[in-house]
Amino acid sequence: MTSGLWELVLKGVWVTIQLLVLSALLATAVSFVVGIARTHRLWVVRFLAGLYTEVFRGTSALVMIFWVFFVLPPAFGWQLVPLWAGTLALGLTYGAYGSEIVRGALAAVDPAQREGGIALSFTPWQRMKLILLPQAVPEMIPPFSNLLVELLKGTALVSIMGMGDLAFSGNLVRLALQESAEIYTYILLIYFVLAFLLTRIMRGLEKKLKAGVGKAPQKQTTASVRVPEGSGVS
């Protein structure tokens, strides 16, 4: 490829990174707000949070992008630029998945920890801030890492809006060179490198957070099963 075409690809990488960071920030905020609301003592709050989760988790991110960018503007008389439309659609969609991670991690905290907070006359917010979240957040990192990689791959959907992300730029280069195998191989490698860097960053964050609560990330080990002699199993 020529230097001009490589520059186009690099611009697409930068747009993808911008979209990833912005939508990840929105998805994180939505995850914690909705996930904590799923554990609220009022059933109305739990119902509304659950309704949001089911609606956005049960709809396609691609269709949501269509709605935000093509359907809502005529209805409300405003138009979002592609970057913000993609951020809103992806952040709200993946935030619904993240809210289940938060809810599950909070539910996994030992009930004795909650009872200890009650015994100390902590308010619900104090129990959440000082007891539950410090223990639950480190457990959220591995599933959040997987969700972040999925979000990275989901950013390619914004190419339908003509947004110059990595996927859109790669397609322009393909049309210019009439060479699919080479171009899409490069694109796959770039996505892989970005995903690998994300997993390394999240792994480092997990180690730091677990060190703060006196835990270490569990290493994957292969368990061996010992068969007693004379059991008849060969």
Side-chain angles (χ1 to χ4, degrees):
M1 289 194 298
T2 64
S3 59
L5 293 178
W6 272 115
E7 183 179 353
L8 180 62
V9 172
L10 292 177
K11 287 182 179 179
V13 173
W14 174 238
V15 172
T16 295
I17 292 174
Q18 285 182 292
L19 179 61
L20 174 65
V21 171
L22 293 173
S23 55
L25 290 175
L26 176 59
T28 301
V30 170
S31 297
F32 277 92
V33 171
V34 178
I36 292 174
R38 294 290 304 273
T39 65
H40 201 275
R41 64 181 183 276
L42 296 179
W43 73 268
V44 176
V45 177
R46 296 196 305 271
F47 172 78
L48 293 176
L51 179 62
Y52 168 85
T53 301
E54 294 302 325
V55 168
F56 280 87
R57 193 174 56 173
T59 54
S60 167
L62 180 62
V63 176
M64 189 61 62
I65 291 174
F66 272 116
W67 263 89
V68 173
F69 191 68
F70 296 108
V71 178
L72 293 183
F76 293 93
W78 44 260
Q79 178 71 57
L80 287 174
V81 297
L83 178 62
W84 294 114
T87 297
L88 183 61
L90 293 175
L92 293 177
T93 299
Y94 284 87
Y97 291 96
S99 66
E100 281 296 284
I101 296 175
V102 174
R103 183 197 62 79
L106 290 174
V109 176
D110 191 343
Q113 300 292 325
R114 301 173 185 267
E115 295 170 2
I118 295 174
L120 292 172
S121 300
F122 284 177
T123 64
W125 170 242
Q126 287 176 322
R127 295 198 298 271
M128 181 65 65
K129 179 183 178 181
L130 301 176
I131 299 176
L132 300 181
L133 283 178
Q135 298 181 65
V137 168
E139 306 302 327
M140 301 176 193
I141 300 301
F144 266 133
S145 179
N146 292 332
L147 189 62
L148 188 60
V149 173
E150 289 297 322
L151 177 57
L152 170 64
K153 295 185 287 186
T155 58
L157 298 174
V158 301
S159 59
I160 64 171
M161 301 184 293
M163 186 175 173
D165 71 310
L166 179 56
F168 186 82
S169 300
N171 188 52
L172 292 180
V173 175
R174 181 189 67 84
L175 294 175
L177 298 180
Q178 293 298 311
E179 178 62 50
S180 298
E182 178 184 0
I183 301 306
Y184 284 129
T185 299
Y186 288 144
I187 300 303
L188 284 175
L189 289 174
I190 293 173
Y191 273 114
F192 170 77
V193 170
L194 292 175
F196 180 80
L197 292 175
L198 288 175
T199 55
R200 293 299 91 189
I201 293 172
M202 295 297 286
R203 183 62 174 172
L205 180 61
E206 180 188 3
K207 289 182 179 179
K208 182 177 180 180
L209 291 175
K210 287 196 171 183
V213 293
K215 296 182 180 180
Q218 297 180 356
K219 295 182 179 180
Q220 296 293 333
T221 58
T222 302
S224 58
V225 179
R226 186 175 180 180
V227 180
E229 296 182 1
S231 61
V233 180
S234 57

